[in-house]
Amino acid sequence: MADLIAQLDEGNPRALPRLLSLVERRDPAGMAALAALYPRTGKAAVVGITGAPGAGKSTLVNALAHAARAAEMRVAILAIDPSSPVSGGAVLGDRIRMMDLHADPGVFIRSVASKGRTGGLAPAAAAMVHCLDAAGYPLILLETVGAGQDSIDIDVLARTVIVVQAPGFGDGVQAIKAGILEIGDILVVNKADLPGARELARTLRGSLDHPEPGEWEVPVLLTDAASGEGVPAVLDAVLQHGRWLAQSGEIAQRLRVAASAEVLDGVRNELQRRLNAATAGSLDQVISDVAARRTPPEDAVNAILASLPGLGGAASDQRGG
Ligand SMILES: Nc1nc2c(ncn2[C@@H]2O[C@H](COP(=O)(O)OP(=O)(O)O)[C@@H](O)[C@H]2O)c(=O)[nH]1
Ligand SMILES: [Mg+2]
C-alpha cells in the first residue's frame, strides 16, 4: 500500500490504473491506500456531464479535455456509461481526437461499469473520483447517462453539473418537466450546427429563474462539440463556477452533501451485503411462512434483523471485506 502511494507520487503511470482497479473491487489494499490518500482530496474540479443519450456528452467530454489541454490543465475522464463508452458511437473524426487524448500523458481516461443501475452512479464511482483527485488531476470529467430521474445522483458527486441538450430531442420542455435542468450549473445546447439549437437555447434561458444577488447565474451555452466550437467557453464557465463555489462558501455545502451520500450509501450497501449473507438459503422459507400465515411479517423482520452480524445478532459476527 505504501508502495502504491509512493509510485503514485512519483508519477508512475501504472500506479493510478492499479489503484483504481483495486478500489473498484473494494480490495482491502486499495481501500487502505485510499484511506491514506483521502485527506489530500476535495480540491479537484469534479464536473458531471449528463443529458439524454445521443445529445453529445461523450463528444463534449472529448472536446472539453482538448480545451483543458490547450489551457495546459491535466484532465481525468471517468465514463460511467457502459452502453456508450467515451470513445463509443463516435464518428471517425471523434475517434482520431480520442486517440490524441489517449497518447497524451496529461490525460487519464477510465470507464466504470454502472453495475446494472440505469443511469445513476456506480457504487465505486465516488471512491474512484477520490483516487483521481489524490493523483493530482485538477479537472475530473464524469460522463453519465441521464435518463430523467436516474441521473440525479450526479449532482451529489460532482461539484459542477453540465446538462447537455440537443435539438431534435423534444423542445426542451420535456427536460424542464423531468427536472433535469434543476441540477445543471451550466446548460449546454450542443449540435449548434443543427436547426433548432438557437430556439432551444432561448427556451431554456426563458425557463430559468433569475438569480438573487450573490447566487450563481446558470449560463446557457451553445456548442458544436464535434468541431469544438464553443467548447472553450464551457471550460471557462466550469472554472468560473469553481471560483464562485469557493467565494460564496457553497463548496462546503456541496462537499457535505457528497460526504453524506457516500457514507449513507456505504452503510446501506454493507447492510444489504450482510442481509444477503445472513439470509442466504433461509429467506425463501421465511417468506413462504409469512405468505402462508404461519409467521406474522413483523416477527420475520425481527428474526432477520436479529440474525444480522453486528446488529445485536448472534455472536457469529464476521467482518466482511
Ligand atoms: N451535428 C453534430 N453532431 C454531433 C455534435 N456532437 C456530437 N455529435 C454526434 O452525435 C452523436 C452522439 O454523440 P455522443 O457524444 O456519442 O452522445 P452521448 O450519447 O450523449 O454521449 C454522434 O454521432 C456524434 O458524432 C455536434 O455538435 N453536432
Ligand atoms: Mg456517451
Side-chain angles (χ1 to χ4, degrees), residues 52-60 81 84 88-91 94 143 190-194 223-226:
K57 294 180 297 298
S58 299
T59 314
L60 181 65
D81 176 6
S84 169
V91 297
D94 294 336
E143 183 194 346
N190 189 38
K191 309 197 185 182
D193 52 311
L194 297 186
T223 59
D224 175 345

Side-chain angles (χ1 to χ4, degrees), residues 1-2 4-5 18-39 123-131 262 266 269-270 319-321:
M1 164 203 128
L4 193 54
I5 294 175
R18 192 155 156 251
L19 175 63
L20 288 168
S21 297
L22 291 171
V23 164
E24 186 175 14
R25 61 180 134 91
R26 301 183 56 78
D27 179 285
M31 299 318 280
L34 175 54
L37 291 166
Y38 188 70
M128 291 170 81
V129 167
H130 298 323
C131 295
E262 196 176 347
N269 289 341
E270 178 60 16
R319 268 197 64 84

Side-chain angles (χ1 to χ4, degrees), residues 147-158:
Q149 318 284 312
D150 288 339
S151 69
I152 302 301
D153 287 355
I154 189 71
D155 67 328
V156 170
L157 184 53

